[in-house]
Amino acid sequence: MFQLTLARKKILWAYLFLAIPLIFFLYIRIYPTLFAFEMSLYDWNPLAEEQEYIGTENYERLATELNNPRSVTRAAFSNTIVYVVLGVPIQLSIALLVALMLNEIGRLTMLYRLLFFLPFVTSTISIAWVFRALYQPQFGFLNVLLTLFSLPQQPFLKSPTQALPSILAMIIWQGLGFAVIIFLAGVKQIPRDYYEAATVDGANRWQSFRRITLPLLNPSIVYLIVLQSISFLRTFAPVLAMTTQGDGGPLNSTTTVVLRIYREAFQRFDMGFAAAQTVFLFAIILVVTIVQMRLTTRATD
């Protein structure tokens, strides 16, 4: 038998404890990813004993649908891009503005932080249903408000042009609190001496923001851009809850890639094609993350 010293025993136990979450992570995250890639190469039928290998046919079908302007798959990918391109900059801009204002106030700070963070920890489905009620025609709160100001009522979720912005507003609002807290933590880390020195040198508030606040918040900005982009790319629950029968309508104007994958896999049981879309979405998220980190990460003096 080997005689281990106390120091080696501690190291051995450390490896053992680290191995438990590592195995869990590999089983929960890595294995399903590899399994999805394998599934995408088959005409996968969950009820069949043997699966038919079809090679890259699912990916060829995906490419064909992406080239078809009337395809639901193309609409799903196009809408998802709109969610990301509009949602991330709007949400982060508002969050930064709110964080800067919260950093200035001296009273009721915790209350304001709590009010902004509360939607983030609230159930997405619950918030989606509340927004769905607000958007209702005739008796929805927003249309009642428009009527009070003698403005025409709006169809919101019933309109192919207004449905996506209406859902996007809800998603931005729900995730705002998380971005505010991250920005606020970053702002608090900036030494006040920098601003005092800039004031002595004659810098105004905009110059201080552009030359001091923005560069020193770069780590927070990079973190939030990557994280929120991934979150918007995986948009699912709000669209499912706020559209009629969760179909991503009207006329597929709000459907997303994840909703499309869900419908293909669990409503049409076309598991192979759904897996191909999953792998393609994974590749997009990977590329977007790498590009964003390269573009937004920079050294700060």
Side-chain angles (χ1 to χ4, degrees), residues 17-154:
F17 279 113
L18 287 172
I20 296 172
L22 181 63
I23 293 171
F24 182 75
F25 176 79
L26 290 174
Y27 184 74
I28 296 296
R29 293 292 187 183
I30 305 300
Y31 172 69
T33 303
L34 298 175
F35 185 60
F37 180 72
E38 180 191 3
M39 192 184 291
S40 69
L41 302 176
Y42 289 83
D43 182 14
W44 197 277
N45 182 350
L47 301 179
E49 292 184 0
E50 294 186 1
Q51 308 300 333
E52 180 186 356
Y53 179 78
I54 59 173
T56 59
E57 281 188 24
N58 284 321
Y59 292 97
E60 292 170 10
R61 178 185 164 191
L62 177 59
T64 303
E65 292 204 8
L66 289 177
N67 287 324
N68 181 4
R70 296 185 177 181
S71 163
V72 180
T73 303
R74 175 163 170 157
F77 277 89
S78 301
N79 292 338
T80 303
I81 292 171
V82 174
Y83 279 114
V84 176
V85 171
L86 292 181
V88 174
I90 292 174
Q91 186 181 66
L92 296 193
S93 299
I94 297 173
L96 179 57
L97 182 64
V98 172
L100 292 174
M101 289 191 290
L102 286 176
N103 191 46
E104 295 295 326
I105 63 174
R107 295 181 179 179
L108 302 176
T109 309
M110 288 304 296
L111 176 63
Y112 277 100
R113 290 181 189 177
L114 178 65
L115 290 176
F116 277 107
F117 193 69
L118 206 54
F120 181 70
V121 295
T122 306
S123 165
T124 302
I125 296 296
S126 302
I127 293 177
W129 274 98
V130 170
F131 268 77
R132 185 171 176 167
L134 294 177
Y135 288 136
Q136 285 300 307
Q138 294 187 341
F139 302 110
F141 176 75
L142 293 178
N143 273 321
V144 171
L145 205 61
L146 289 173
T147 305
L148 287 176
F149 288 96
S150 302
L151 295 171
Q153 291 198 345
Q154 300 298 321

